Amino acid sequence: MIKNLLLQFDTDAWASSFDAVVAADAGADWLLPYANMRPEQVMGVVHGAMFTRSPSKLKHTAIFVGGSDVALAEQNYQQILATFFGPVRVSVAMDANGCNTTSVAAVECAMAGYRQLLGASNAATAEPSAWILGGTGPVGQRIATLLVDRGCRVTLHSRSLEKARIVAERIQGEVAGAEILTSAATQAELGHELPQQTLIFNAGAAGIQNLDEGTVDAISKSSGVLVDLNAVPPAGIARVGVQDSGRREEERLVYGALAVGAGKMTLHRAVIRACFERNDRNFNLREIAALSAELAASGNPTN
Ligand SMILES: NC(=O)c1ccc[n+]([C@@H]2O[C@H](COP(=O)([O-])OP(=O)(O)OC[C@H]3O[C@@H](n4cnc5c(N)ncnc54)[C@H](OP(=O)(O)O)[C@@H]3O)[C@@H](O)[C@H]2O)c1
């Protein structure tokens, strides 16, 4: 029986143990970890993966791109794609630091909550507005991209308006017609701005509280969804528990980091499994979102 081999291209000094465990649970029989991976080293290793097995067996080799330096991992991913030619290639998935699977799972949670609210009342509008705290990080940027893809009105929040503008302009350059607002509002200003926003995400750094109790009091009186991705105390959005999964906070449905994490884990495993089904899959943000939608349509949603 031919074995499923997963090459793990990681940007860090030690390839991620988290990604290795998920790979084993998702059907990788053998893991080949490559640490400190840089674009200039990619071609030789990819050639080794491309030219060793016959075309019909190539689906049993795949590459996972990871690491804590998400921008560098993205360069590694692009270099892998540039190395392939014709049908002689293997499947590849990019999910450095969980950026893609986490953002897709977060948006799925928010949309599940939004659909529930739409079913229950007329208070929510058909085109949700969304606000992303910590929107300049790898996860926040990807949540923004997924939301503008869906036609949502998005505001990116940062401690630096200039940083938010740079990120917003990059996403607008990639998504035709997208309009992303930017904000560096203070806590007091957020208390006035956020009640009008239907979907509110906290994608800020771990262990940082971005919305305090008073602001959450103000927000909770209007219909919508709160999603907090931070699992490290204190809560990124006050009173959101990591285990919350559609809990009611007055007029809001609330999702915490473990609820998002459960969907993220399911999706991460599904991506690896899909890599071993064919030799020509490229999984980056939008392909992972499409796989999540396929799973939902087939009755196996990720949340
Ligand atoms: N639930 C899950 O399954 C899961 C999986 C992966 C990640 N996560 C969580 O998702 C969140 C986003 O991940 P990420 O990798 O995108 O985060 P990140 O890059 O560490 O941080 C996101 C943003 O937070 C702001 N920030 C950084 N340090 C800060 C500080 N000391 N004080 C205040 N703000 C600060 C920065 O924005 P500005 O400089 O623009 O203000 C940064 O761009 C994190 O909380 C992470 O732990 C959850």
Side-chain angles (χ1 to χ4, degrees):
M1 181 80 170
I2 188 155
K3 293 198 182 308
N4 287 334
L5 306 183
L6 190 69
L7 283 71
Q8 191 184 359
F9 285 13
D10 201 298
T11 60
D12 297 353
W14 294 94
S16 160
S17 54
F18 178 101
D19 292 339
V21 173
V22 178
D25 289 349
D29 299 307
W30 201 272
L31 197 66
L32 298 168
Y34 292 84
N36 278 323
M37 203 61 178
R38 300 291 179 270
E40 56 274 22
Q41 294 147 355
V42 160
M43 185 184 284
V45 185
V46 172
H47 280 166
M50 289 164 63
F51 296 133
T52 37
R53 290 174 151 177
S54 63
S56 68
K57 303 273 174 24
L58 276 175
K59 68 178 184 179
H60 295 289
T61 305
I63 303 173
F64 182 86
V65 183
S68 61
D69 187 336
V70 176
L72 181 59
E74 184 67 41
Q75 290 176 39
N76 286 339
Y77 176 76
Q78 295 304 333
Q79 187 58 46
I80 293 165
L81 299 188
T83 303
F84 295 148
F85 47 86
V88 183
R89 53 157 298 166
V90 300
S91 288
V92 54
M94 151 69 189
D95 194 30
N97 238 10
C99 61
N100 286 329
T101 49
T102 303
S103 52
V104 171
V107 170
E108 289 301 325
C109 271
M111 296 311 293
Y114 179 63
R115 283 191 295 272
Q116 196 177 319
L117 290 171
L118 271 183
S121 88
N122 294 322
T125 59
E127 282 184 2
S129 56
W131 191 286
I132 307 167
L133 298 150
T136 59
V139 174
Q141 293 184 31
R142 284 164 175 78
I143 290 174
T145 301
L146 293 168
L147 291 171
V148 293
D149 277 355
R150 286 172 176 263
C152 297
R153 285 161 288 135
V154 172
T155 304
L156 269 185
H157 184 269
S158 165
R159 292 169 297 174
S160 154
L161 200 52
E162 183 54 19
K163 195 171 165 187
R165 277 194 190 126
I166 291 168
V167 171
E169 277 169 18
R170 187 187 52 70
I171 297 171
Q172 286 171 157
E174 288 172 11
V175 184
E179 193 184 344
I180 300 180
L181 303 177
T182 52
S183 168
T186 62
Q187 195 68 204
E189 290 164 344
L190 288 171
H192 293 291
E193 293 274 1
L194 289 183
Q196 285 92 55
Q197 306 297 324
T198 313
L199 312 179
I200 298 169
F201 296 84
N202 173 49
I208 300 294
Q209 183 155 96
N210 277 315
L211 292 182
D212 64 19
E213 295 261 351
T215 311
V216 173
D217 283 342
I219 296 167
S220 301
K221 291 174 178 48
S222 59
S223 178
V225 180
L226 301 178
V227 180
D228 184 5
L229 293 169
N230 169 36
V232 179
I237 300 176
R239 294 206 298 273
V240 175
V242 289
Q243 311 246 32
D244 285 341
S245 184
R247 178 178 65 78
R248 271 260 172 202
E249 175 87 26
E250 297 192 50
E251 299 302 315
R252 295 269 167 179
L253 292 182
V254 172
Y255 295 84
L258 295 187
V260 175
K264 176 251 176 307
M265 295 304 301
T266 303
L267 190 52
H268 189 157
R269 287 190 290 267
V271 168
I272 302 294
R273 276 196 294 273
C275 282
F276 291 126
E277 286 166 3
R278 287 174 19 192
N279 73 318
D280 61 351
R281 303 297 298 261
N282 299 332
F283 283 110
N284 207 340
L285 177 64
R286 290 193 173 90
E287 295 85 3
I288 290 174
L291 180 67
S292 178
E294 272 174 44
L295 291 171
S298 67
N300 296 300
T302 53
N303 68 68

